[in-house]
Amino acid sequence: AQSVAQPEDQVNVAEGNPLTVKCTYSVSGNPYLFWYVQYPNRGLQFLLKYITGDNLVKGSYGFEAEFNKSQTSFHLKKPSALVSDSALYFCAVRDYNQGGKLIFGQGTELSVKP
Amino acid sequence: EPEVTQTPSHQVTQMGQEVILRCVPISNHLYFYWYRQILGQKVEFLVSFYNNEISEKSEIFDDQFSVERPDGSNFTLKIRSTKLEDSAMYFCASSEAGTGNEKLFFGSGTQLSVL
């Protein structure tokens, strides 16, 4: 069965510092990996995805993620955090079966302080 | 960017009552999903729907739950007899394709409170 894990419930960074939100995955075959963000009282917004190709994927709002096959990781990164980046971040893997559901990690709350 | 819309944004109901949560997926999308998120927990898959039938459902999606696409635009989730543990944020999502690199578009959710 496919799964993702986010080992950190919370990540705290100072504004202007780089941030990393960790994700590891377990799939059979090639993974389709996604990051979504959830702001308070809002739905899930797509940030970026990895399907194939370059291991460094760039997405919305200056975020990027690095796919590492040997470590089965897909960490989300940003060179310089903003207070407005504070939100809940979910890593997800897309199922191969017909219907293609997304399987989410447990989420990581990112808090960026001024 | 096109949006998935969900109504109502909040729904309060008494235990044992039926509720219907409504969603309007993006118009050219073919695959539809319901997820839920209990407060403080992960987003959980409930059901996927394609070509007017359920593609897959989770163990959460028991006989108390049903989905329907009653017309060309709406996609509904019905809970027949609500329980306290059904209290959660329910998200509808849609995608053009069911597999591969297509992202899912999510609505803003319906917060269901069962009293």
Side-chain angles (χ1 to χ4, degrees):
Chain A
Q2 304 191 89
S3 65
V4 291
Q6 294 177 243
E8 301 156 317
D9 290 335
Q10 186 158 22
V11 170
N12 297 308
V13 298
E15 189 174 32
N17 283 1
L19 69 88
T20 299
V21 183
K22 295 179 181 175
C23 171
T24 58
Y25 65 88
S26 174
V27 301
S28 52
N30 295 322
Y32 298 147
L33 295 161
F34 297 77
W35 275 100
Y36 280 80
V37 59
Q38 185 181 27
Y39 297 101
N41 302 313
R42 300 286 299 276
L44 295 155
Q45 295 180 37
F46 170 79
L47 272 181
L48 50 79
K49 65 184 178 187
Y50 172 82
I51 305 300
T52 186
D54 288 341
N55 290 340
L56 187 64
V57 178
K58 293 190 184 296
S60 307
Y61 312 121
F63 283 93
E64 56 191 29
E66 186 168 10
F67 172 68
N68 188 317
K69 190 171 183 178
S70 62
Q71 296 185 6
T72 62
S73 67
F74 188 55
H75 299 334
L76 181 70
K77 301 182 180 187
K78 188 172 181 181
S80 178
L82 300 171
V83 172
S84 57
D85 293 329
S86 298
L88 196 52
Y89 290 81
F90 290 95
C91 183
V93 62
R94 187 122 192 230
D95 202 334
Y96 294 130
N97 294 326
Q98 182 66 18
K101 67 176 187 272
L102 277 175
I103 300 163
F104 286 91
Q106 60 267 46
T108 298
E109 186 167 355
L110 173 66
S111 178
V112 182
K113 294 284 194 277
Chain B
E1 188 169 71
E3 287 186 344
V4 174
T5 55
Q6 289 185 244
T7 55
S9 56
H10 293 86
Q11 174 91 47
V12 180
T13 190
Q14 296 290 326
M15 191 170 55
Q17 294 296 304
E18 174 184 286
V19 293
I20 297 176
L21 309 183
R22 303 181 191 280
C23 169
V24 179
I26 294 169
S27 61
N28 63 331
H29 285 188
L30 301 176
Y31 291 82
F32 313 111
Y33 310 83
W34 283 101
Y35 287 79
R36 78 172 186 190
Q37 184 181 29
I38 295 172
L39 186 63
Q41 298 185 25
K42 70 188 328 186
V43 178
E44 302 174 292
F45 169 76
L46 291 178
V47 66
S48 58
F49 191 85
Y50 168 71
N51 200 25
N52 279 321
E53 55 183 37
I54 291 174
S55 309
E56 187 177 359
K57 59 184 180 180
S58 71
E59 57 191 29
I60 302 168
F61 194 89
D62 61 22
D63 291 344
Q64 293 300 313
F65 290 87
S66 63
V67 288
E68 193 178 32
R69 190 154 160 83
D71 52 42
S73 59
N74 290 286
F75 179 52
T76 61
L77 173 70
K78 183 194 288 187
I79 309 175
R80 235 177 303 277
S81 177
T82 50
K83 305 185 208 104
L84 294 176
E85 55 264 37
D86 294 328
S87 295
M89 179 73 90
Y90 287 80
F91 292 108
C92 174
S94 68
S95 67
E96 281 188 62
T99 57
N101 63 359
E102 293 293 325
K103 66 184 182 186
L104 269 63
F105 290 77
F106 285 83
S108 297
T110 294
Q111 180 66 56
L112 176 66
S113 298
V114 182
L115 305 178

